[in-house]
Amino acid sequence: MEHIDLDVHSPEFLASLSLSFQNLPVQKRCNKKIRPTERPSEPGRSYGSSQACGWSLVLLMNLFIAFQMDGFWRLSLPWFALQPLGSFIVKLGSVSLFILIEFFYACASLVDPGSPGKKDVISDKSDRWCNYCMAPKPDRCHHCSTCRRCVLRMDHHCIFTNSCVGLRNQPHFLVFVFLTMCGSGLSALAAAPQITAAMALSGERTMRQVHLIGVCLSAAIASFLLWNLLLAQMHLLIRNETTIESSKNWADRCHSSYDRGVRENIAEVFGSNVAGCIPNSVFDIFDGLDQFLADS
């Protein structure tokens, strides 16, 4: 057998080796993520248990609002001993505020935050694809593991509304936070002057003391927390960012790419016709019930 002296470091050998590898069939690379053919199961609790816990918190939130209203009417208002006209004006204002809070709370909970539809479908060239919904995702759209759906312009999932804050219900959520903060602050201020007098009452009226202290403390804590939440939401609003985008931009040390100026950013969320917000929201509530009637 003839011995062949082969120099593996020679340029001729390296060139022939490179040509041989180029002729081999190779799998084409693709920058897109592999799209599964079957919908994977989502981690976490079942959809039924998540909804049960969510609606329980919604019920507790409504009880808290009613508790504050009851404390204002039964404890704070009689203590001030207003004249009939002044008492009527205060009662009318408090009832109107209560109705507005409940209305916008219903809007924040029941109005559909928005999901990708046919008009939002993007081309196959995009790599934004939801493996759970088995559908493309437009820009600023994210999948909520609690609602188990994709939400347009998703800000966050609010456990107290049992719904995501997204494209269509973010204005209602912001107004609800603002009105509830004002109502809680007024309730705390109205009950605060009575704390010293209530502590001096005899033991026969202990329940009134507990009721008054509970109303004042809970209202003060709620107003403080809602004030911080409102400041954070307004900061994101004027920058045209969502909570999800803000976290990512902060980590990347960059500004929002959707910022078009304060006025344009606010108009993008609330729209140009603010006066028609309440009438349109009434119909949006009934339209939003479809998200709960649809198959989960």
Side-chain angles (χ1 to χ4, degrees), residues 201-260:
L201 293 176
S202 60
E204 297 178 357
R205 307 183 68 179
T206 304
M207 290 305 299
R208 186 181 187 280
Q209 300 175 11
V210 174
H211 189 187
L212 183 61
I213 294 175
V215 169
C216 185
L217 288 180
S218 60
I221 294 174
S223 180
F224 173 76
L225 295 177
L226 290 173
W227 169 254
N228 286 274
L229 175 61
L230 184 63
L231 285 181
Q233 288 292 315
M234 294 303 297
H235 175 73
L236 297 176
L237 176 65
I238 62 178
R239 292 167 57 92
N240 202 345
E241 280 183 330
T242 64
T243 302
I244 299 175
E245 294 168 353
S246 177
S247 301
K248 184 178 183 301
N249 292 338
W250 181 85
D252 296 339
R253 299 295 191 273
C254 62
H255 297 283
S256 173
S257 58
Y258 303 99
D259 190 359
R260 299 184 299 170

Side-chain angles (χ1 to χ4, degrees), residues 42 130 132-133 137 141-145 148-150 154:
E42 298 189 35
C130 180
Y132 297 109
C133 296
K137 293 193 299 184
C141 179
H142 298 276
H143 184 85
C144 176
S145 59
R148 302 203 171 187
R149 54 182 293 194
C150 284
M154 178 179 175

